[in-house]
């Protein structure tokens, strides 16, 4: 469950450069004003908070300005490109034990379109979750006039809908490494990745949930207690860690479930 953390700590300077742009764009995709106002209203049980503000607080698509739209496009492109590059190098490191940058761009043509498609799928899942979550919390704030009731029902809705999001994420989670490693077509790779995932679904579910809930809590605290510049600086660090954890976990879970030897651990290449 924590194999991705061990890999990140051990190889931080190898993978960190690929997380700088995604981390920066993801942090800038957060709407500081909406998050700040939503958290304050939430803890006072304020039923007057609007749907658009709730959606802006949860969404990664900035709808407040054209600059926000450009940031969203930058986040999508940077995440896709950096994921395709980083996973190809991490796979090579785990397969042959060599931690080098050679060959990254030679595989980009094969991996980029796959990464673009899978990233778009995750973005769609998350934004659909953000719309539904914002709508339910808005309805709760309009119907329930008790602050405690608003608090309890909103948290329950967040956890239930979050569970649906994490469950859907587990279905597709190993699809990208399967597409990159096996050469299967889309549907065959999805079926194979689903078979691999079934035995680790529980661990994967709680791993995804823990990281997401922890990040949301941190973003809320940052927005309330930090000024805007410090908020984005702190959010950048959290987004870098989330991005690395999410991507590296794909590889560690794939190698574990497919029962592949990891040469970065056993280092049998040194005997050659």
């Amino acid at each position: 469950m924590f194999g991705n953390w061990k890999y990140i700590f051990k190889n931080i300077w190898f993978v960190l450069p690929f997380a700088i742009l995604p981390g920066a764009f993801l942090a800038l995709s957060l709407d500081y004003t909406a998050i700040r106002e939503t958290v304050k209203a939430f803890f006072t049980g304020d039923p007057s908070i609007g749907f658009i503000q709730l959606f802006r607080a949860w969404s990664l698509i900035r709808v407040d300005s054209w600059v926000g739209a450009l940031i969203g496009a930058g986040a999508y492109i940077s995440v896709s490109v950096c994921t395709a590059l980083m996973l190809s190098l991490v796979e090579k490191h785990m397969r042959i034990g060599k931690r080098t940058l050679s060959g990254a761009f030679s595989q980009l043509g094969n991996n980029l379109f796959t990464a673009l498609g899978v990233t778009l799928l995750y973005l769609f899942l998350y934004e659909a979750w953000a719309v539904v979550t914002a709508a339910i919390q808005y309805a709760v704030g309009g119907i329930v006039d008790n602050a405690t009731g608003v608090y309890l029902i909103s948290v329950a809705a967040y956890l239930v809908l979050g569970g649906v999001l994490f469950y859907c994420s587990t279905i597709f989670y190993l699809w990208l490494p399967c597409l990159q490693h096996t050469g299967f077509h889309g549907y065959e790779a999805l079926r194979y990745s689903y078979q691999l995932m079934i035995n680790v679904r529980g661990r994967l579910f709680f791993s995804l949930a823990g990281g997401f809930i922890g990040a949301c809590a941190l973003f809320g605290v940052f927005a309330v207690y930090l000024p805007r510049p410090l908020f984005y600086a702190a959010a950048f660090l959290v987004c870098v860690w989330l991005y690395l954890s999410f991507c590296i976990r794909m590889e560690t879970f794939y190698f574990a479930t497919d029962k592949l030897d990891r040469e970065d651990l056993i280092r049998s290449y040194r005997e050659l």
Side-chain angles (χ1 to χ4, degrees), residues 60-82:
L60 290 176
I61 298 178
R62 294 278 295 272
V63 295
D64 55 337
S65 67
W66 64 269
V67 175
L70 292 178
I71 291 172
Y76 170 66
I77 294 172
S78 63
V79 167
S80 300
V81 174
C82 291

Side-chain angles (χ1 to χ4, degrees), residues 242-261:
L242 281 177
Y243 173 76
L244 288 176
S245 292
F246 190 86
C247 293
I248 300 301
R249 190 190 294 112
M250 288 183 183
E251 294 293 336
T252 57
F253 268 78
Y254 179 81
F255 272 75
T257 55
D258 207 24
K259 297 179 173 57
L260 299 174
D261 290 333

